[in-house]
């Protein structure tokens, strides 16, 4: 049975008429760059996240970058994050002119280990970016407490965590700013590129709104050197349609995760993701850990079952970040995880038969009788 890693077409088929209607409205109004459809989505998404504001931007990387700029972070500053994330987290720090500093992750949740945070703070540290990796929020209480005690900003990288919760609070609503990507494969994905920053701080909103539009408040009067980081009208309208389905889709992901757990829990060779007591995990990625993962991936691919690796190389060992001077062994947990991560197919439209096929494939590989 074919099991794709992700099936965007299945989701599109389930909302086709709503999407076509929304796109047609944008085209009738020719509201293509920014405009009323983006403004409406911003209101809806802020309400969803439990924040006062949302600002739509062109992608998640720009969301992180503009949030850091709005907080005044720049050359000479350091920003702490983890090496176990997509490179955009660190790129945004670098684009702001600051220097990423990494702390290792917690082996159970694969998120920033708060107990390692204090040792990474230097006189140049200005902010912390906890990444809510795979759809589970980082342990925010101790992170915020350490940030407060040291006068540091907290910017959440919620690019993989639309609708995830920490003690009942939604991703993006705990730090001074929460940054989202709506890359097509995300739990809430656009039909192209898009992102947003959510916040309760009107000053952050004002700065990002000006920056995203070439530094202008009034057309062709540019107060600062900005950028074109606007969200498309079509993406705003599509995201409004899809936001209405997000909770249902997240619940389906959670159900699928429960089924994977039931079918794989007895296998010692496969470490399954852990949902922390404080968390509502939305399983953007169902990341297991397996020692012979490359062989297992090849074995499953022969059965037309497709997996992913998120991510094979931690950021401190990427060529792009050799300039930071970290060596192998600097972050042993992140390195161990990177060598073993194996993401199983996960999307709302996955069927029980497909999940069974994946689990059966894994069991056959491990030569375990069901
Ligand atoms: C953790 C994380 N941060 C940042 C980003 C960047 O988002 P985008 O691809 O929309 O620029 C992503 C997207 O893949 C991500 O997963």
């Amino acid at each position: 049975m074919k099991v794709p890693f992700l099936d965007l077409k299945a989701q599109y088929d389930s909302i086709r008429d709503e999407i076509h209607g929304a796109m047609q409205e944008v085209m009738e109004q020719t509201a293509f760059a920014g405009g009323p459809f983006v403004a409406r989505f911003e209101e809806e998404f802020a309400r969803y996240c439990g924040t006062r504001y949302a600002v739509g931007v062109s992608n998640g990387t720009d969301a992180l970058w503009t949030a850091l700029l709005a907080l005044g972070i720049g050359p000479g500053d350091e920003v702490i994050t983890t090496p176990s994330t997509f490179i955009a987290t660190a790129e945004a720090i670098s684009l702001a002119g600051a220097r990423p500093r990494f702390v290792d992750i917690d082996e159970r949740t694969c998120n920033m280990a708060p107990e390692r945070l204090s040792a990474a703070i230097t006189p140049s540290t200005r902010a912390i970016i906890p990444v809510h990796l795979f759809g589970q929020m980082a342990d925010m209480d101790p992170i915020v407490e350490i940030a407060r005690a040291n006068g540091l900003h907290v910017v959440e990288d919620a690019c993989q965590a639309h609708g995830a919760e920490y003690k009942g609070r939604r991703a993006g609503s705990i730090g001074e700013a929460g940054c989202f990507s709506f890359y097509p494969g995300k739990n809430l994905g656009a039909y192209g590129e898009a992102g947003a920053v959510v916040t309760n701080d009107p000053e952050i909103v004002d700065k990002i709104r000006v920056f995203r539009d070439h530094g202008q408040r009034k057309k062709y009067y540019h107060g600062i050197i900005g950028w074109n980081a606007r969200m498309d009208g079509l993406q705003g309208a599509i995201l409004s349609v899809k936001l209405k389905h997000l909770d249902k889709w997240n619940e389906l992901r959670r159900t699928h995760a429960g089924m994977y757990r039931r079918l794989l829990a007895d296998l010692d060779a496969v470490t399954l993701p852990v949902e922390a007591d404080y968390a509502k995990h939305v399983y953007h990625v169902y990341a297991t850990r397996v020692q012979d993962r490359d062989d297992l991936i090849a074995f499953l691919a022969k059965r037309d079952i497709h997996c992913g690796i998120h991510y094979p190389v931690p950021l401190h060992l990427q060529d792009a970040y050799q300039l930071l001077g970290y060596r192998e062994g600097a972050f042993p947990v992140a390195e161990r995880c990177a060598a073993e991560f194996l993401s199983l197919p996960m999307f709302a439209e996955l069927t029980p038969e497909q999940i069974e096929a994946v689990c059966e494939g894994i069991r056959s590989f491990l030569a375990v009788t069901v």
Side-chain angles (χ1 to χ4, degrees), residues 11 134-135 159-164 181-190 242-243 245-247 249-250 253 281-285 346-348:
Q11 190 189 69
F134 303 145
C159 288
Q160 301 190 3
H162 317 72
S181 163
F182 305 117
Y183 184 74
K186 302 294 186 191
N187 291 29
L188 179 61
K242 293 183 72 176
L243 182 59
H245 298 276
L246 178 60
D247 283 341
W249 288 334
N250 279 345
R253 286 174 182 268
H281 198 320
V282 293
Y283 296 99
H284 171 56
V285 172
M346 174 56 81
F347 48 93

PDB file of all heavy atoms in Angstrom, residues 11 134-135 159-164 181-190 242-243 245-247 249-250 253 281-285 346-348:
ATOM      1  N   GLN A  11      -5.874  16.646   1.306  1.00  0.00           N
ATOM      2  CA  GLN A  11      -6.470  17.749   2.079  1.00  0.00           C
ATOM      3  C   GLN A  11      -7.181  18.738   1.159  1.00  0.00           C
ATOM      4  O   GLN A  11      -8.301  19.174   1.443  1.00  0.00           O
ATOM      5  CB  GLN A  11      -5.390  18.472   2.887  1.00  0.00           C
ATOM      6  CG  GLN A  11      -5.991  19.444   3.867  1.00  0.00           C
ATOM      7  CD  GLN A  11      -4.933  20.304   4.513  1.00  0.00           C
ATOM      8  OE1 GLN A  11      -4.327  21.157   3.863  1.00  0.00           O
ATOM      9  NE2 GLN A  11      -4.690  20.074   5.780  1.00  0.00           N
ATOM     10  N   PHE A 134       8.534  19.802  16.253  1.00  0.00           N
ATOM     11  CA  PHE A 134       7.660  18.684  15.864  1.00  0.00           C
ATOM     12  C   PHE A 134       6.191  18.893  16.267  1.00  0.00           C
ATOM     13  O   PHE A 134       5.369  18.013  16.072  1.00  0.00           O
ATOM     14  CB  PHE A 134       8.146  17.349  16.453  1.00  0.00           C
ATOM     15  CG  PHE A 134       9.559  16.983  16.090  1.00  0.00           C
ATOM     16  CD1 PHE A 134      10.380  16.313  16.989  1.00  0.00           C
ATOM     17  CD2 PHE A 134      10.071  17.302  14.839  1.00  0.00           C
ATOM     18  CE1 PHE A 134      11.685  15.963  16.648  1.00  0.00           C
ATOM     19  CE2 PHE A 134      11.369  16.961  14.483  1.00  0.00           C
ATOM     20  CZ  PHE A 134      12.177  16.289  15.398  1.00  0.00           C
ATOM     21  N   GLY A 135       5.865  20.049  16.879  1.00  0.00           N
ATOM     22  CA  GLY A 135       4.474  20.281  17.280  1.00  0.00           C
ATOM     23  C   GLY A 135       4.247  20.199  18.776  1.00  0.00           C
ATOM     24  O   GLY A 135       3.111  20.210  19.229  1.00  0.00           O
ATOM     25  N   CYS A 159       6.843  27.730  14.460  1.00  0.00           N
ATOM     26  CA  CYS A 159       6.641  27.396  13.046  1.00  0.00           C
ATOM     27  C   CYS A 159       6.129  25.980  12.830  1.00  0.00           C
ATOM     28  O   CYS A 159       5.612  25.665  11.762  1.00  0.00           O
ATOM     29  CB  CYS A 159       7.936  27.613  12.270  1.00  0.00           C
ATOM     30  SG  CYS A 159       8.327  29.366  12.060  1.00  0.00           S
ATOM     31  N   GLN A 160       6.314  25.110  13.842  1.00  0.00           N
ATOM     32  CA  GLN A 160       5.819  23.724  13.702  1.00  0.00           C
ATOM     33  C   GLN A 160       4.699  23.441  14.699  1.00  0.00           C
ATOM     34  O   GLN A 160       4.396  22.280  14.956  1.00  0.00           O
ATOM     35  CB  GLN A 160       6.976  22.741  13.933  1.00  0.00           C
ATOM     36  CG  GLN A 160       8.126  22.922  12.966  1.00  0.00           C
ATOM     37  CD  GLN A 160       9.167  21.809  13.042  1.00  0.00           C
ATOM     38  OE1 GLN A 160       9.022  20.846  13.779  1.00  0.00           O
ATOM     39  NE2 GLN A 160      10.225  21.947  12.269  1.00  0.00           N
ATOM     40  N   ALA A 161       4.100  24.481  15.269  1.00  0.00           N
ATOM     41  CA  ALA A 161       3.257  24.230  16.449  1.00  0.00           C
ATOM     42  C   ALA A 161       1.918  24.966  16.433  1.00  0.00           C
ATOM     43  O   ALA A 161       1.436  25.398  17.476  1.00  0.00           O
ATOM     44  CB  ALA A 161       4.043  24.588  17.707  1.00  0.00           C
ATOM     45  N   HIS A 162       1.278  25.062  15.284  1.00  0.00           N
ATOM     46  CA  HIS A 162      -0.018  25.739  15.182  1.00  0.00           C
ATOM     47  C   HIS A 162      -1.050  25.004  16.027  1.00  0.00           C
ATOM     48  O   HIS A 162      -1.387  23.854  15.722  1.00  0.00           O
ATOM     49  CB  HIS A 162      -0.496  25.760  13.733  1.00  0.00           C
ATOM     50  CG  HIS A 162       0.579  26.096  12.746  1.00  0.00           C
ATOM     51  ND1 HIS A 162       1.592  25.233  12.436  1.00  0.00           N
ATOM     52  CD2 HIS A 162       0.779  27.206  12.012  1.00  0.00           C
ATOM     53  CE1 HIS A 162       2.395  25.803  11.557  1.00  0.00           C
ATOM     54  NE2 HIS A 162       1.928  27.009  11.280  1.00  0.00           N
ATOM     55  N   GLY A 163      -1.533  25.650  17.069  1.00  0.00           N
ATOM     56  CA  GLY A 163      -2.570  25.044  17.906  1.00  0.00           C
ATOM     57  C   GLY A 163      -2.026  24.190  19.045  1.00  0.00           C
ATOM     58  O   GLY A 163      -2.804  23.678  19.856  1.00  0.00           O
ATOM     59  N   ALA A 164      -0.709  24.027  19.136  1.00  0.00           N
ATOM     60  CA  ALA A 164      -0.131  23.278  20.264  1.00  0.00           C
ATOM     61  C   ALA A 164      -0.345  24.082  21.547  1.00  0.00           C
ATOM     62  O   ALA A 164      -0.500  25.301  21.507  1.00  0.00           O
ATOM     63  CB  ALA A 164       1.359  23.050  20.029  1.00  0.00           C
ATOM     64  N   SER A 181       5.214  29.745  10.589  1.00  0.00           N
ATOM     65  CA  SER A 181       5.360  29.521   9.152  1.00  0.00           C
ATOM     66  C   SER A 181       4.074  28.875   8.665  1.00  0.00           C
ATOM     67  O   SER A 181       3.523  28.008   9.346  1.00  0.00           O
ATOM     68  CB  SER A 181       6.525  28.566   8.898  1.00  0.00           C
ATOM     69  OG  SER A 181       6.439  28.024   7.580  1.00  0.00           O
ATOM     70  N   PHE A 182       3.620  29.283   7.500  1.00  0.00           N
ATOM     71  CA  PHE A 182       2.486  28.602   6.866  1.00  0.00           C
ATOM     72  C   PHE A 182       2.937  27.919   5.583  1.00  0.00           C
ATOM     73  O   PHE A 182       2.200  27.854   4.598  1.00  0.00           O
ATOM     74  CB  PHE A 182       1.339  29.595   6.592  1.00  0.00           C
ATOM     75  CG  PHE A 182       0.881  30.340   7.818  1.00  0.00           C
ATOM     76  CD1 PHE A 182       1.001  31.709   7.910  1.00  0.00           C
ATOM     77  CD2 PHE A 182       0.336  29.648   8.896  1.00  0.00           C
ATOM     78  CE1 PHE A 182       0.596  32.394   9.039  1.00  0.00           C
ATOM     79  CE2 PHE A 182      -0.082  30.317  10.038  1.00  0.00           C
ATOM     80  CZ  PHE A 182       0.050  31.704  10.105  1.00  0.00           C
ATOM     81  N   TYR A 183       4.170  27.459   5.587  1.00  0.00           N
ATOM     82  CA  TYR A 183       4.689  26.651   4.481  1.00  0.00           C
ATOM     83  C   TYR A 183       3.660  25.526   4.210  1.00  0.00           C
ATOM     84  O   TYR A 183       3.037  25.030   5.157  1.00  0.00           O
ATOM     85  CB  TYR A 183       6.058  26.085   4.894  1.00  0.00           C
ATOM     86  CG  TYR A 183       6.754  25.321   3.810  1.00  0.00           C
ATOM     87  CD1 TYR A 183       7.349  25.990   2.737  1.00  0.00           C
ATOM     88  CD2 TYR A 183       6.820  23.929   3.845  1.00  0.00           C
ATOM     89  CE1 TYR A 183       7.980  25.275   1.727  1.00  0.00           C
ATOM     90  CE2 TYR A 183       7.446  23.219   2.839  1.00  0.00           C
ATOM     91  CZ  TYR A 183       8.025  23.903   1.779  1.00  0.00           C
ATOM     92  OH  TYR A 183       8.642  23.205   0.793  1.00  0.00           O
ATOM     93  N   PRO A 184       3.447  25.147   2.946  1.00  0.00           N
ATOM     94  CA  PRO A 184       2.327  24.254   2.625  1.00  0.00           C
ATOM     95  C   PRO A 184       2.190  22.993   3.487  1.00  0.00           C
ATOM     96  O   PRO A 184       1.080  22.559   3.784  1.00  0.00           O
ATOM     97  CB  PRO A 184       2.581  23.903   1.149  1.00  0.00           C
ATOM     98  CG  PRO A 184       3.294  25.095   0.612  1.00  0.00           C
ATOM     99  CD  PRO A 184       4.165  25.601   1.745  1.00  0.00           C
ATOM    100  N   GLY A 185       3.299  22.393   3.904  1.00  0.00           N
ATOM    101  CA  GLY A 185       3.206  21.147   4.660  1.00  0.00           C
ATOM    102  C   GLY A 185       2.947  21.318   6.151  1.00  0.00           C
ATOM    103  O   GLY A 185       2.839  20.334   6.882  1.00  0.00           O
ATOM    104  N   LYS A 186       2.835  22.554   6.630  1.00  0.00           N
ATOM    105  CA  LYS A 186       2.614  22.763   8.073  1.00  0.00           C
ATOM    106  C   LYS A 186       1.192  22.357   8.464  1.00  0.00           C
ATOM    107  O   LYS A 186       0.305  22.240   7.600  1.00  0.00           O
ATOM    108  CB  LYS A 186       2.831  24.239   8.426  1.00  0.00           C
ATOM    109  CG  LYS A 186       4.200  24.777   8.071  1.00  0.00           C
ATOM    110  CD  LYS A 186       5.295  24.125   8.878  1.00  0.00           C
ATOM    111  CE  LYS A 186       6.614  24.816   8.589  1.00  0.00           C
ATOM    112  NZ  LYS A 186       7.758  24.094   9.137  1.00  0.00           N
ATOM    113  N   ASN A 187       0.938  22.237   9.766  1.00  0.00           N
ATOM    114  CA  ASN A 187      -0.422  21.875  10.221  1.00  0.00           C
ATOM    115  C   ASN A 187      -1.435  22.893   9.697  1.00  0.00           C
ATOM    116  O   ASN A 187      -2.561  22.533   9.376  1.00  0.00           O
ATOM    117  CB  ASN A 187      -0.494  21.828  11.748  1.00  0.00           C
ATOM    118  CG  ASN A 187       0.293  20.659  12.312  1.00  0.00           C
ATOM    119  OD1 ASN A 187       1.273  20.229  11.706  1.00  0.00           O
ATOM    120  ND2 ASN A 187      -0.129  20.136  13.436  1.00  0.00           N
ATOM    121  N   LEU A 188      -1.051  24.164   9.655  1.00  0.00           N
ATOM    122  CA  LEU A 188      -1.838  25.178   8.958  1.00  0.00           C
ATOM    123  C   LEU A 188      -0.936  25.698   7.833  1.00  0.00           C
ATOM    124  O   LEU A 188      -0.017  26.477   8.077  1.00  0.00           O
ATOM    125  CB  LEU A 188      -2.223  26.320   9.911  1.00  0.00           C
ATOM    126  CG  LEU A 188      -3.030  27.451   9.278  1.00  0.00           C
ATOM    127  CD1 LEU A 188      -4.355  26.950   8.724  1.00  0.00           C
ATOM    128  CD2 LEU A 188      -3.282  28.574  10.285  1.00  0.00           C
ATOM    129  N   GLY A 189      -1.205  25.231   6.627  1.00  0.00           N
ATOM    130  CA  GLY A 189      -0.304  25.542   5.512  1.00  0.00           C
ATOM    131  C   GLY A 189      -1.000  26.369   4.448  1.00  0.00           C
ATOM    132  O   GLY A 189      -2.175  26.142   4.132  1.00  0.00           O
ATOM    133  N   ALA A 190      -0.279  27.321   3.888  1.00  0.00           N
ATOM    134  CA  ALA A 190      -0.802  28.139   2.791  1.00  0.00           C
ATOM    135  C   ALA A 190      -0.672  27.361   1.478  1.00  0.00           C
ATOM    136  O   ALA A 190      -0.195  26.218   1.466  1.00  0.00           O
ATOM    137  CB  ALA A 190      -0.021  29.449   2.723  1.00  0.00           C
ATOM    138  N   LYS A 242      -8.674  27.559   5.934  1.00  0.00           N
ATOM    139  CA  LYS A 242      -8.060  26.388   6.558  1.00  0.00           C
ATOM    140  C   LYS A 242      -8.019  26.479   8.081  1.00  0.00           C
ATOM    141  O   LYS A 242      -8.067  25.458   8.770  1.00  0.00           O
ATOM    142  CB  LYS A 242      -6.649  26.170   5.972  1.00  0.00           C
ATOM    143  CG  LYS A 242      -6.727  25.766   4.485  1.00  0.00           C
ATOM    144  CD  LYS A 242      -5.381  25.464   3.886  1.00  0.00           C
ATOM    145  CE  LYS A 242      -4.818  24.174   4.393  1.00  0.00           C
ATOM    146  NZ  LYS A 242      -3.537  23.821   3.724  1.00  0.00           N
ATOM    147  N   LEU A 243      -7.972  27.707   8.606  1.00  0.00           N
ATOM    148  CA  LEU A 243      -7.940  27.878  10.067  1.00  0.00           C
ATOM    149  C   LEU A 243      -9.180  27.244  10.712  1.00  0.00           C
ATOM    150  O   LEU A 243      -9.103  26.688  11.811  1.00  0.00           O
ATOM    151  CB  LEU A 243      -7.833  29.376  10.416  1.00  0.00           C
ATOM    152  CG  LEU A 243      -7.750  29.734  11.903  1.00  0.00           C
ATOM    153  CD1 LEU A 243      -6.530  29.076  12.565  1.00  0.00           C
ATOM    154  CD2 LEU A 243      -7.679  31.254  12.086  1.00  0.00           C
ATOM    155  N   HIS A 245     -10.554  24.603  10.015  1.00  0.00           N
ATOM    156  CA  HIS A 245     -10.402  23.137  10.082  1.00  0.00           C
ATOM    157  C   HIS A 245      -9.242  22.703  10.973  1.00  0.00           C
ATOM    158  O   HIS A 245      -9.054  21.505  11.187  1.00  0.00           O
ATOM    159  CB  HIS A 245     -10.157  22.580   8.668  1.00  0.00           C
ATOM    160  CG  HIS A 245     -11.296  22.841   7.717  1.00  0.00           C
ATOM    161  ND1 HIS A 245     -12.399  22.023   7.653  1.00  0.00           N
ATOM    162  CD2 HIS A 245     -11.492  23.833   6.814  1.00  0.00           C
ATOM    163  CE1 HIS A 245     -13.236  22.496   6.728  1.00  0.00           C
ATOM    164  NE2 HIS A 245     -12.700  23.589   6.208  1.00  0.00           N
ATOM    165  N   LEU A 246      -8.450  23.681  11.444  1.00  0.00           N
ATOM    166  CA  LEU A 246      -7.184  23.313  12.094  1.00  0.00           C
ATOM    167  C   LEU A 246      -7.375  22.415  13.321  1.00  0.00           C
ATOM    168  O   LEU A 246      -6.676  21.405  13.475  1.00  0.00           O
ATOM    169  CB  LEU A 246      -6.395  24.579  12.467  1.00  0.00           C
ATOM    170  CG  LEU A 246      -5.073  24.353  13.200  1.00  0.00           C
ATOM    171  CD1 LEU A 246      -4.106  23.512  12.375  1.00  0.00           C
ATOM    172  CD2 LEU A 246      -4.421  25.702  13.559  1.00  0.00           C
ATOM    173  N   ASP A 247      -8.326  22.756  14.199  1.00  0.00           N
ATOM    174  CA  ASP A 247      -8.486  21.949  15.424  1.00  0.00           C
ATOM    175  C   ASP A 247      -8.859  20.501  15.085  1.00  0.00           C
ATOM    176  O   ASP A 247      -8.348  19.555  15.684  1.00  0.00           O
ATOM    177  CB  ASP A 247      -9.541  22.570  16.345  1.00  0.00           C
ATOM    178  CG  ASP A 247      -8.990  23.789  17.091  1.00  0.00           C
ATOM    179  OD1 ASP A 247      -7.746  23.926  17.177  1.00  0.00           O
ATOM    180  OD2 ASP A 247      -9.797  24.609  17.570  1.00  0.00           O
ATOM    181  N   TRP A 249      -8.172  18.933  12.282  1.00  0.00           N
ATOM    182  CA  TRP A 249      -6.994  18.270  11.699  1.00  0.00           C
ATOM    183  C   TRP A 249      -5.974  17.901  12.782  1.00  0.00           C
ATOM    184  O   TRP A 249      -5.366  16.830  12.728  1.00  0.00           O
ATOM    185  CB  TRP A 249      -6.347  19.176  10.641  1.00  0.00           C
ATOM    186  CG  TRP A 249      -7.135  19.296   9.371  1.00  0.00           C
ATOM    187  CD1 TRP A 249      -8.018  18.385   8.858  1.00  0.00           C
ATOM    188  CD2 TRP A 249      -7.104  20.400   8.452  1.00  0.00           C
ATOM    189  NE1 TRP A 249      -8.532  18.855   7.674  1.00  0.00           N
ATOM    190  CE2 TRP A 249      -7.996  20.079   7.393  1.00  0.00           C
ATOM    191  CE3 TRP A 249      -6.421  21.615   8.412  1.00  0.00           C
ATOM    192  CZ2 TRP A 249      -8.206  20.931   6.311  1.00  0.00           C
ATOM    193  CZ3 TRP A 249      -6.630  22.464   7.336  1.00  0.00           C
ATOM    194  CH2 TRP A 249      -7.515  22.122   6.301  1.00  0.00           C
ATOM    195  N   ASN A 250      -5.786  18.799  13.752  1.00  0.00           N
ATOM    196  CA  ASN A 250      -4.837  18.492  14.836  1.00  0.00           C
ATOM    197  C   ASN A 250      -5.320  17.297  15.652  1.00  0.00           C
ATOM    198  O   ASN A 250      -4.514  16.449  16.062  1.00  0.00           O
ATOM    199  CB  ASN A 250      -4.634  19.710  15.745  1.00  0.00           C
ATOM    200  CG  ASN A 250      -3.640  20.723  15.148  1.00  0.00           C
ATOM    201  OD1 ASN A 250      -2.905  20.400  14.215  1.00  0.00           O
ATOM    202  ND2 ASN A 250      -3.627  21.921  15.687  1.00  0.00           N
ATOM    203  N   ARG A 253      -4.461  14.212  13.804  1.00  0.00           N
ATOM    204  CA  ARG A 253      -3.031  13.894  13.968  1.00  0.00           C
ATOM    205  C   ARG A 253      -2.794  13.216  15.312  1.00  0.00           C
ATOM    206  O   ARG A 253      -2.024  12.259  15.429  1.00  0.00           O
ATOM    207  CB  ARG A 253      -2.187  15.173  13.879  1.00  0.00           C
ATOM    208  CG  ARG A 253      -2.047  15.725  12.471  1.00  0.00           C
ATOM    209  CD  ARG A 253      -1.319  17.077  12.511  1.00  0.00           C
ATOM    210  NE  ARG A 253      -1.190  17.680  11.202  1.00  0.00           N
ATOM    211  CZ  ARG A 253      -0.138  17.520  10.388  1.00  0.00           C
ATOM    212  NH1 ARG A 253       0.880  16.791  10.767  1.00  0.00           N
ATOM    213  NH2 ARG A 253      -0.099  18.114   9.216  1.00  0.00           N
ATOM    214  N   HIS A 281       0.399  18.091  22.271  1.00  0.00           N
ATOM    215  CA  HIS A 281       1.275  17.913  21.113  1.00  0.00           C
ATOM    216  C   HIS A 281       0.389  17.871  19.868  1.00  0.00           C
ATOM    217  O   HIS A 281      -0.644  17.215  19.883  1.00  0.00           O
ATOM    218  CB  HIS A 281       1.995  16.566  21.302  1.00  0.00           C
ATOM    219  CG  HIS A 281       3.224  16.342  20.485  1.00  0.00           C
ATOM    220  ND1 HIS A 281       3.331  16.738  19.173  1.00  0.00           N
ATOM    221  CD2 HIS A 281       4.405  15.740  20.798  1.00  0.00           C
ATOM    222  CE1 HIS A 281       4.526  16.384  18.714  1.00  0.00           C
ATOM    223  NE2 HIS A 281       5.198  15.784  19.677  1.00  0.00           N
ATOM    224  N   VAL A 282       0.777  18.574  18.802  1.00  0.00           N
ATOM    225  CA  VAL A 282      -0.054  18.527  17.591  1.00  0.00           C
ATOM    226  C   VAL A 282       0.633  17.769  16.440  1.00  0.00           C
ATOM    227  O   VAL A 282       0.184  17.830  15.298  1.00  0.00           O
ATOM    228  CB  VAL A 282      -0.521  19.940  17.138  1.00  0.00           C
ATOM    229  CG1 VAL A 282      -1.482  20.531  18.160  1.00  0.00           C
ATOM    230  CG2 VAL A 282       0.654  20.868  16.868  1.00  0.00           C
ATOM    231  N   TYR A 283       1.718  17.073  16.767  1.00  0.00           N
ATOM    232  CA  TYR A 283       2.343  16.129  15.838  1.00  0.00           C
ATOM    233  C   TYR A 283       2.480  16.681  14.417  1.00  0.00           C
ATOM    234  O   TYR A 283       2.011  16.057  13.465  1.00  0.00           O
ATOM    235  CB  TYR A 283       1.587  14.788  15.845  1.00  0.00           C
ATOM    236  CG  TYR A 283       1.684  14.114  17.192  1.00  0.00           C
ATOM    237  CD1 TYR A 283       0.651  14.206  18.122  1.00  0.00           C
ATOM    238  CD2 TYR A 283       2.847  13.448  17.559  1.00  0.00           C
ATOM    239  CE1 TYR A 283       0.771  13.627  19.380  1.00  0.00           C
ATOM    240  CE2 TYR A 283       2.962  12.872  18.821  1.00  0.00           C
ATOM    241  CZ  TYR A 283       1.923  12.963  19.709  1.00  0.00           C
ATOM    242  OH  TYR A 283       2.044  12.400  20.954  1.00  0.00           O
ATOM    243  N   HIS A 284       3.131  17.829  14.306  1.00  0.00           N
ATOM    244  CA  HIS A 284       3.499  18.282  12.959  1.00  0.00           C
ATOM    245  C   HIS A 284       4.373  17.210  12.298  1.00  0.00           C
ATOM    246  O   HIS A 284       4.218  16.890  11.123  1.00  0.00           O
ATOM    247  CB  HIS A 284       4.232  19.621  13.030  1.00  0.00           C
ATOM    248  CG  HIS A 284       4.808  20.027  11.721  1.00  0.00           C
ATOM    249  ND1 HIS A 284       4.032  20.134  10.588  1.00  0.00           N
ATOM    250  CD2 HIS A 284       6.077  20.304  11.334  1.00  0.00           C
ATOM    251  CE1 HIS A 284       4.804  20.474   9.565  1.00  0.00           C
ATOM    252  NE2 HIS A 284       6.049  20.560   9.989  1.00  0.00           N
ATOM    253  N   VAL A 285       5.296  16.696  13.095  1.00  0.00           N
ATOM    254  CA  VAL A 285       6.163  15.598  12.635  1.00  0.00           C
ATOM    255  C   VAL A 285       6.066  14.484  13.671  1.00  0.00           C
ATOM    256  O   VAL A 285       6.120  14.760  14.874  1.00  0.00           O
ATOM    257  CB  VAL A 285       7.634  16.091  12.534  1.00  0.00           C
ATOM    258  CG1 VAL A 285       8.578  14.927  12.249  1.00  0.00           C
ATOM    259  CG2 VAL A 285       7.782  17.168  11.468  1.00  0.00           C
ATOM    260  N   MET A 346       2.761  11.407   8.550  1.00  0.00           N
ATOM    261  CA  MET A 346       1.815  12.033   9.479  1.00  0.00           C
ATOM    262  C   MET A 346       1.109  13.181   8.786  1.00  0.00           C
ATOM    263  O   MET A 346       1.746  14.152   8.378  1.00  0.00           O
ATOM    264  CB  MET A 346       2.564  12.527  10.729  1.00  0.00           C
ATOM    265  CG  MET A 346       1.713  13.323  11.704  1.00  0.00           C
ATOM    266  SD  MET A 346       0.214  12.462  12.286  1.00  0.00           S
ATOM    267  CE  MET A 346       0.844  11.395  13.561  1.00  0.00           C
ATOM    268  N   PHE A 347      -0.176  13.034   8.603  1.00  0.00           N
ATOM    269  CA  PHE A 347      -1.033  14.113   8.116  1.00  0.00           C
ATOM    270  C   PHE A 347      -2.461  13.719   8.456  1.00  0.00           C
ATOM    271  O   PHE A 347      -2.756  12.539   8.692  1.00  0.00           O
ATOM    272  CB  PHE A 347      -0.846  14.350   6.601  1.00  0.00           C
ATOM    273  CG  PHE A 347      -0.881  13.111   5.743  1.00  0.00           C
ATOM    274  CD1 PHE A 347      -2.068  12.682   5.163  1.00  0.00           C
ATOM    275  CD2 PHE A 347       0.268  12.365   5.520  1.00  0.00           C
ATOM    276  CE1 PHE A 347      -2.109  11.537   4.365  1.00  0.00           C
ATOM    277  CE2 PHE A 347       0.230  11.199   4.741  1.00  0.00           C
ATOM    278  CZ  PHE A 347      -0.951  10.790   4.165  1.00  0.00           C
ATOM    279  N   ALA A 348      -3.341  14.717   8.511  1.00  0.00           N
ATOM    280  CA  ALA A 348      -4.694  14.467   9.031  1.00  0.00           C
ATOM    281  C   ALA A 348      -5.424  13.379   8.258  1.00  0.00           C
ATOM    282  O   ALA A 348      -6.156  12.574   8.830  1.00  0.00           O
ATOM    283  CB  ALA A 348      -5.500  15.767   9.013  1.00  0.00           C
TER     284      ALA A 348
END
